[in-house]
Amino acid sequence: MPNTATRLRSVDSYRASVAALVGDLPSVRLPVADCRGLVLTEDVTAPISLPPFDNSAMDGYAVRSVDVVGASEDTPVELPVPEDIPAGRTDVVPLLPGTSHRIMTGAPLPPGADSVVQVELTDSGVQRVRVFAPVAVGTHLRRTGEDVREGTVVLTKGTVLGPPQLGLVAALGIAALPVRRRPHVLVLSTGTELVEAGQPLKPGQIYESNSMYIATAVEEIGGVAHVLRFVPDDVNALRATLRPHLADHDVVITTGGVSAGAYEVVKDALQGEGVEFLRVAMQPGGPQGSGRYQGLPVLSLPGNPVSAALSFEIFVRPALLAAMGHTEIDRKRLRARASMAMKSPAGRRQYRRGLYDAGSVQAVPVGGPGSHLLAAFAQSNCLIEIPEDVTEIPEGAEVDLVMLTQR
């Protein structure tokens, strides 16, 4: 039987299989304050109108416009002020002809009033006020339902909830929303050579970094990450570490232990248990694993830091966003000119780290193609994507970019 690790899958084919494996997350009702970045699973209908009552758009005086006709600085109209109406007052007294009520911004308009004279056009009187200019009917008023009418759909299914949307539903008095819930992701970093930051390194040891990238990348898109670090290269230990956490998570992401050599603990523990290990036609990041372990989706990424990061960007990030109900799941793409010539292996889609300069519309490669060059990745704002059938990019040729930041 051929070794499954020698099989080669296209990037697009493997990306589709990862998306199908992760699937859709369930819909839940969450408090509005917990919904930032999540996606609505139902339309939202306004339970009230906005504004819910006629109110003043200015600090000033509620009047009948006919009572201030002809008012000017030379011949002001003087009116008694029997009532004050601050914002929040609920026992509003009707306005009688020939009078005015001092009113604050947002306060309910008294019955009988048809306009508001802003305070700057008066002498700011308390018991009596002099008005120095006429006003037309409707001046400085906010009418009931001017923004939203009760019963209308204000947000549609599929809307991504940001501050403006959450502010709207809060203004409508809605306490909870139906949303696709956040993915709970278990991040498992394996390797006896790994050491926690802050501890001294012995010969042959390295600091563990993959879980930091994966966990923060999960949280950046709205997921919840739980990290298990420093799982030793032991099959039984890995299975024992996984077992108590399976019921509480939606996806497991492992890094390391997936290649074709010896001591590949993730592959040894999960192959034959529902997880397939294979190679994808990309560089870096060829070795991959995916499947279900005891019913839970597992995505096994390579251990080299850049390979793990690129695998997350190309395969895992879009699958998690789609599972959350997002329709825009891909990074922004641009075209630019290559600042220098590049080579790429035949039959592999290569992702080179790069810096996009908007002024010159150029892509400048940062570092080489090696999967260990993490500093180059940190200094980049894009990936330069070289297709599988291209082995050489001349200087000045157009290339496709996958934007990592908006810098």
Side-chain angles (χ1 to χ4, degrees), residues 47 63 71 94 121-122 125 134 136 144 151 200 211 224 236 240 244 247 254 278 346 353 377 397:
V63 298
L121 298 179
T122 73
T144 303
S211 66
V224 179
N236 292 328
T254 70
L278 65 155
R353 283 126 281 178
F377 189 75

Side-chain angles (χ1 to χ4, degrees), residues 112-391:
D114 62 18
S115 56
V116 171
V117 179
Q118 66 190 78
V119 68
E120 291 83 357
L121 298 179
T122 73
D123 66 353
S124 304
V126 176
Q127 295 182 336
R128 298 186 69 83
V129 63
R130 291 194 299 167
V131 178
F132 299 117
V135 290
V137 173
T139 300
H140 301 315
L141 298 186
R142 301 167 178 163
R143 294 296 188 184
T144 303
E146 186 178 310
D147 186 14
V148 173
R149 286 286 180 186
E150 179 181 348
T152 59
V153 173
V154 290
L155 296 173
T156 56
K157 176 182 177 180
T159 297
V160 180
L161 297 167
Q165 294 77 29
L166 298 177
L168 171 61
V169 297
L172 290 166
I174 297 171
L177 290 170
V179 292
R180 194 81 62 191
R181 72 165 173 78
R182 302 180 189 278
H184 289 252
V185 179
L186 180 65
V187 181
L188 190 68
S189 184
T190 65
T192 53
E193 78 279 14
L194 302 177
V195 176
E196 185 177 4
Q199 301 300 313
L201 289 178
K202 295 178 182 179
Q205 293 182 327
I206 60 173
Y207 289 118
E208 196 279 321
S209 62
N210 285 345
S211 66
M212 177 62 71
Y213 183 93
I214 301 300
T216 54
V218 167
E219 291 167 354
E220 183 181 54
I221 62 171
V224 179
H226 175 207
V227 176
L228 294 176
R229 293 187 178 91
F230 318 118
V231 179
D233 288 338
D234 179 87
V235 168
N236 292 328
L238 188 145
R239 289 174 177 168
T241 301
L242 273 179
R243 198 171 297 119
H245 299 284
L246 297 177
D248 300 326
H249 294 87
D250 303 299
V251 179
V252 176
I253 300 175
T254 70
T255 63
V258 299
S259 294
Y263 305 107
E264 301 295 343
V265 64
V266 173
K267 185 178 68 173
D268 293 342
L270 302 181
Q271 188 167 248
E273 299 289 330
V275 180
E276 178 189 18
F277 292 86
L278 65 155
R279 294 189 68 84
V280 176
M282 65 184 286
Q283 184 195 57
Q288 300 286 335
S290 61
R292 289 185 178 273
Y293 179 67
Q294 297 188 13
L296 191 66
V298 174
L299 302 172
S300 294
L301 313 184
N304 279 321
V306 177
S307 295
L310 282 174
S311 297
F312 183 89
E313 287 293 330
I314 304 303
F315 304 122
V316 184
R317 184 179 186 272
L320 291 178
L321 285 170
M324 296 169 67
H326 290 271
T327 55
E328 295 185 9
I329 61 174
D330 292 318
R331 296 280 195 180
K332 181 180 178 181
R333 298 180 73 94
L334 295 176
R335 296 275 288 173
R337 294 190 308 275
S339 69
M340 59 181 286
M342 291 175 282
K343 291 186 176 182
S344 182
R348 302 288 193 275
R349 186 179 300 183
Q350 188 181 72
Y351 290 94
R352 293 286 295 271
R353 283 126 281 178
L355 273 174
Y356 170 67
D357 180 70
S360 63
V361 197
Q362 277 195 330
V364 182
V366 179
S371 59
H372 63 294
L373 301 175
L374 189 57
F377 189 75
Q379 294 160 10
S380 300
N381 64 6
C382 68
L383 300 174
I384 303 171
E385 184 181 71
I386 304 176
E388 293 87 339
D389 59 350
V390 175
T391 58

